[in-house]
Amino acid sequence: MHIGDKIFYRRKQLGLTQASLSKGICSITYLSKLENNKMNATNDILKLLCKRLKIELEDLLTNDFENHMRTLRELYHSVKEREIEFIEDENFESLKKTNDPYIITAVEVILFELAIIKKDFAQASKQKKELKELERFLFEETRIWYYKSLGLYEYHFGDIFESNKLFLKARELTNRSNNDAHIEYLLGLSFTRLHQVSKSIYHTEIALKMYNDDINIKRIIDCKLLLGINYNKLGQHQMAEEYYLNIANTLSKIGDRRMLGKIYHNLGYLYSQIENHQKAIMFLTKALDLKLAVEEKLSTLYLLAYEYKNQGQVSKALDLCKEGMKLAENENLNYYYKLYILLTGLKSNGFFDKTFVNKMEKVIIPYLAADIVSSILHYSIRAGNDQWNFQR
C-alpha cells in the first residue's frame, strides 16, 4: 500500500486541491510526485500533511492491507454465494474507517454487487457512479470483482450484450489455470439470453466441473438447470428432461421449495413444447403451488393458462389470465400485456376488434419495441388461433 495513494484519497475526500494542501508545506510538484508514488516524503512533511488532512501519521503509515483483505474475501464469498443473511452493516463500516483507498474501493465493489442482488436499482446506480471515481484504486483481484459486478448490473438493469462483454473481460483477468467458476456460470447465463446456446453450454460445463470438485450443491443445481434450459432450446428434450428430473430428485431431499418450483416450471414448459399437455399442466400446477414471489408466479400463470387453452378448458384459462393480470398490474407490465393479449384472444376467439388493435399499436408495441418480433408476435400468435385476425 503506497502512502501517496492514501494522501491522494484523503485530499479528494476533503475536497482539497493540491495547491491548498501543499501551501506552506511543500511545492505542488513535490505533492504531485508523492501522490503518484514517485517519491518518498520526510516524516516532518508527512506530519504537516497529516495535520491538514485531519488524520494521524500512524494511520498513514499503518499497513493492515492483508488483514482487511482476508475479511473482504470472506464477505465477497458470502455475497457471491448469495449468503447475504450473514452479512451485517458493521462489517463494512469498520472497514470504511480505514484510510486505505484500496480497501475502501473493495468495500464499495462488494456493496455494489449486494445492491444488485437485492434488485435495488437506485442504490446500485449510485454505487456504480461512485466506483467510477475510485477506479484508480482497483488492483488485479478487485478489478475482477468490479467487472463481474458491472456485468451483473447490465444483466439485471441494462444491456445483455454489454453484460456479456464485461463477464468476458472479468474472465480475461482471471488466471487461466484457476478460472472463476462463478464467472463461467455468469457467461453461461448471458450466452443463453443471447441465444448462443453452444457457448452457454461450454462455459456452464466448465463451471459445473469446478462446482462438482468443490461439492457446492447449490451451484451444481444452478448449472444443471441452465444446461437443461439450453438442451431444451436445442430441441434435445430427453436430455433436458434428465437434467430437470435429476435436480428435482435432489431438491426433494434437501427441501428447497423455491428452486423446486423453478424446476417444475421448466418441466411444464418442456412438456408443453412436446405437446404432452397433461404433464405440462401437472408440473405447472405444482410449480405454482411452490412459488411465492409474484415475479416468479407470473411466468407460470401465463404458461398454465396457455396449456388450459390448448386443452379447450377456456374458463380455467380465463381465470388464470385474470389472476395473473391482477398480480402483474403494478409489478410487471411485460407479463400484464402478455396475459392481456391471451385473455383478449380467448374472449374473442382470435378476432380482435379496433379497440384492441389501437391499444396494441399505441401502447403495447411501443412498450415492448425493443423486441417486437420475439415478444409481440410470439405472444400474439399464442393468444388467438395461430394467426392475427383483426376486425376494423
Side-chain angles (χ1 to χ4, degrees):
M1 175 65 212
H2 297 293
I3 289 172
D5 291 315
K6 288 186 177 182
I7 293 170
F8 172 85
Y9 177 78
R10 182 61 176 167
R11 177 173 67 78
K12 289 287 187 180
Q13 201 176 35
L14 295 176
L16 299 174
T17 63
Q18 285 186 329
S20 59
L21 176 58
S22 62
K23 187 177 180 181
I25 299 174
C26 61
S27 69
I28 294 175
T29 303
Y30 186 100
L31 178 61
S32 179
K33 286 181 179 180
L34 178 59
E35 287 187 342
N36 286 288
N37 305 304
K38 292 180 179 178
M39 67 174 295
N40 296 318
T42 65
N43 270 7
D44 288 340
I45 286 180
L46 288 178
K47 285 177 183 177
L48 292 170
L49 290 172
C50 284
K51 186 175 181 181
R52 196 160 288 174
L53 290 169
K54 300 176 183 177
I55 57 174
E56 298 296 326
L57 179 60
E58 185 183 353
D59 293 334
L60 194 64
L61 299 176
T62 300
N63 187 357
D64 283 333
F65 180 79
E66 286 303 325
N67 288 332
H68 291 322
M69 277 307 299
R70 276 193 287 272
T71 303
L72 282 166
R73 287 185 189 109
E74 290 175 6
L75 288 169
Y76 181 69
H77 178 78
S78 295
V79 171
K80 188 170 69 171
E81 294 301 317
R82 305 300 187 261
E83 296 168 350
I84 58 177
E85 66 273 17
F86 302 112
I87 297 174
E88 298 178 356
D89 290 341
E90 48 262 37
N91 296 134
F92 296 110
E93 292 307 316
S94 61
L95 288 165
K96 277 186 171 183
K97 288 176 182 176
T98 69
N99 288 303
D100 187 332
Y102 288 89
I103 295 300
I104 291 167
T105 301
V107 169
E108 293 300 328
V109 173
I110 296 173
L111 289 172
F112 178 41
E113 188 159 330
L114 194 57
I116 295 166
I117 292 168
K118 293 178 178 179
K119 303 289 178 69
D120 188 340
F121 174 70
Q123 183 61 32
S125 298
K126 181 184 174 187
Q127 295 283 156
K128 180 172 178 276
K129 186 177 179 181
E130 289 175 359
L131 276 166
K132 189 69 179 172
E133 302 297 318
L134 296 171
E135 282 188 356
R136 163 181 169 161
F137 303 113
L138 292 166
F139 55 97
E140 186 177 2
E141 185 176 2
T142 55
R143 195 171 292 277
I144 293 168
W145 300 358
Y146 178 57
Y147 283 128
K148 182 172 74 69
S149 296
L150 283 174
L152 280 169
Y153 178 87
E154 293 295 336
Y155 184 89
H156 288 289
F157 308 122
D159 182 347
I160 186 60
F161 291 96
E162 185 63 22
S163 170
N164 182 257
K165 285 179 186 177
L166 288 160
F167 291 148
L168 286 169
K169 200 165 185 177
R171 188 179 192 263
E172 285 173 12
L173 292 173
T174 61
N175 186 332
R176 291 304 176 89
S177 63
N178 186 29
N179 287 342
D180 186 317
H182 193 219
I183 292 173
E184 298 293 340
Y185 172 70
L186 291 173
L187 279 166
L189 275 180
S190 60
F191 275 123
T192 293
R193 279 186 58 184
L194 289 169
H195 307 292
Q196 297 183 42
V197 177
S198 296
K199 287 184 178 180
S200 175
I201 290 172
Y202 170 76
H203 288 286
T204 307
E205 285 183 340
I206 291 174
L208 179 59
K209 184 180 183 305
M210 295 173 76
Y211 286 131
N212 272 324
D213 291 343
D214 292 338
I215 319 176
N216 187 331
I217 302 300
K218 180 182 175 183
R219 290 300 188 183
I220 289 169
I221 289 170
D222 288 340
C223 289
K224 286 184 176 181
L225 173 57
L226 186 54
L227 287 169
I229 290 168
N230 281 319
Y231 283 117
N232 199 37
K233 283 176 176 281
L234 289 174
Q236 297 183 33
H237 302 301
Q238 186 174 350
M239 180 81 79
E241 183 184 32
E242 287 175 8
Y243 271 112
Y244 292 151
L245 291 174
N246 176 272
I247 299 169
N249 182 51
T250 303
L251 291 170
S252 297
K253 292 176 182 176
I254 62 179
D256 190 336
R257 288 173 55 88
R258 182 175 177 274
M259 183 58 78
L260 190 57
K262 287 186 177 182
I263 301 303
Y264 285 160
H265 173 94
N266 280 282
L267 276 166
Y269 180 59
L270 183 152
Y271 291 126
S272 173
Q273 285 188 304
I274 61 176
E275 298 185 359
N276 187 336
H277 301 300
Q278 287 186 338
K279 270 195 170 182
I281 288 172
M282 178 182 76
F283 278 104
L284 289 169
T285 302
K286 285 183 176 183
L288 199 58
D289 289 341
L290 291 171
K291 289 183 174 183
L292 299 175
V294 170
E295 195 76 18
E296 294 177 356
K297 280 179 173 287
L298 293 173
S299 58
T300 304
L301 281 165
Y302 173 74
L303 278 179
L304 192 53
Y306 179 64
E307 283 305 305
Y308 276 123
K309 169 192 171 291
N310 284 334
Q311 292 290 86
Q313 299 185 50
V314 176
S315 61
K316 284 190 175 181
L318 286 169
D319 288 342
L320 287 166
C321 284
K322 290 172 185 176
E323 181 184 348
M325 286 176 68
K326 188 176 179 180
L327 289 174
E329 190 169 11
N330 297 316
E331 296 287 337
N332 189 317
L333 274 179
N334 192 308
Y335 267 105
Y336 180 84
Y337 290 140
K338 284 177 70 172
L339 290 158
Y340 167 75
I341 294 167
L342 181 55
L343 179 75
T344 306
L346 288 165
K347 285 183 174 180
S348 62
N349 198 29
F351 289 88
F352 302 105
D353 60 23
K354 190 174 180 179
T355 302
F356 174 78
V357 175
N358 285 337
K359 186 167 184 175
M360 286 293 295
E361 292 175 348
K362 295 179 180 179
V363 181
I364 299 176
I365 289 177
Y367 179 80
L368 299 170
D371 197 10
I372 294 173
V373 175
S374 62
S375 295
I376 299 296
L377 185 57
H378 175 69
Y379 305 153
S380 303
I381 286 172
R382 287 189 163 192
N385 296 321
D386 298 332
Q387 61 183 343
W388 278 93
N389 294 299
F390 297 137
Q391 291 181 346
R392 291 188 179 275

